[in-house]
Amino acid sequence: PWVLLLLLPLFFSLSASIIKGQDIGTEHAQNHAFQIGPTYNYLYSTHSTKFRGWGINLGAVVSSHTQLGLGVERIYCPYHYDNGLNLSNLHLTPIYGMVRYDFWGSRILQPYAKAAVGITLMSYKEQKAGTSQLAVDRKVTGLYTYGALGLRTSIAKRFELFLEMGMVGDKMSFRA
């Protein structure tokens, strides 16, 4: 039988956006046409491992409530135990498309939902737990999925701060 293997950590992301472009509807910073922003990511896996990393998001506002964008991240973890395997020196590079939907809100706090899908490029050393087997270098790809809820606030006319929490799947695969 097929078993679905998921790496689904709890994901905290803090990001800031610099906004450039024409105002397309209101005076609020979130309604400008184009956003670019760095992200800091803190992930806590279902196996109690902590992953940290940085990324960048590019987005374009397509309506008063919707933004479409692209993102890339670089996540690192020195050690992770996963289903009988010791994984070390993990480097994850998710590349994804995303959509963000802004709910009602004030100028001070704006709640939103975010979803993303893409691929994750991964490299790590793998060793079977409890053996003296030498670690093997692995390079794999997997389906990347992400869903989150967050809050956004305008810090200045062209600067916003985002805080979100959600779930991420960095490598979706089937094992026989």
Side-chain angles (χ1 to χ4, degrees):
W2 292 91
V3 177
L4 182 60
L5 172 67
L6 301 174
L7 173 62
L8 286 176
L10 185 61
F11 184 91
F12 294 94
S13 178
L14 178 64
S15 64
S17 283
I18 299 167
I19 302 154
K20 179 135 177 94
Q22 298 292 323
D23 195 335
I24 63 167
T26 73
E27 295 176 8
H28 298 314
Q30 63 266 25
N31 291 323
H32 287 267
F34 180 75
Q35 293 182 328
I36 182 170
T39 63
Y40 172 74
N41 303 309
Y42 176 81
L43 294 85
Y44 187 78
S45 81
T46 55
H47 299 281
S48 302
T49 306
K50 295 172 181 75
F51 293 74
R52 291 179 176 86
W54 296 91
I56 190 160
N57 288 322
L58 304 172
V61 176
V62 295
S63 77
S64 62
H65 290 282
T66 309
Q67 181 186 48
L68 299 177
L70 300 172
V72 63
E73 298 170 2
R74 185 68 171 165
I75 311 282
Y76 175 75
C77 178
Y79 174 79
H80 177 67
Y81 176 81
D82 187 52
N83 298 324
L85 299 173
N86 293 321
L87 308 177
S88 60
N89 202 24
L90 287 95
H91 292 273
L92 291 73
T93 307
I95 303 165
Y96 52 86
M98 65 182 167
V99 62
R100 188 184 78 220
Y101 180 79
D102 296 331
F103 300 108
W104 67 95
S106 68
R107 187 176 185 126
I108 296 170
L109 288 177
Q110 174 68 50
Y112 64 89
K114 185 175 174 182
V117 66
I119 63 166
T120 301
L121 309 173
M122 301 175 71
S123 65
Y124 55 90
K125 293 186 179 292
E126 177 185 294
Q127 179 185 35
K128 190 169 183 175
T131 70
S132 59
Q133 166 191 0
L134 292 176
V136 177
D137 289 330
R138 299 275 187 218
K139 291 184 187 243
V140 297
T141 58
L143 175 64
Y144 173 85
T145 56
Y146 178 63
L149 295 175
L151 287 174
R152 176 179 69 194
T153 187
S154 293
I155 303 295
K157 185 176 180 180
R158 295 200 179 269
F159 186 77
E160 294 177 323
L161 187 64
F162 296 77
L163 179 63
E164 60 192 47
M165 187 170 81
M167 296 290 285
V168 63
D170 274 308
K171 181 178 182 278
M172 310 289 221
S173 63
F174 292 94
R175 290 191 177 174

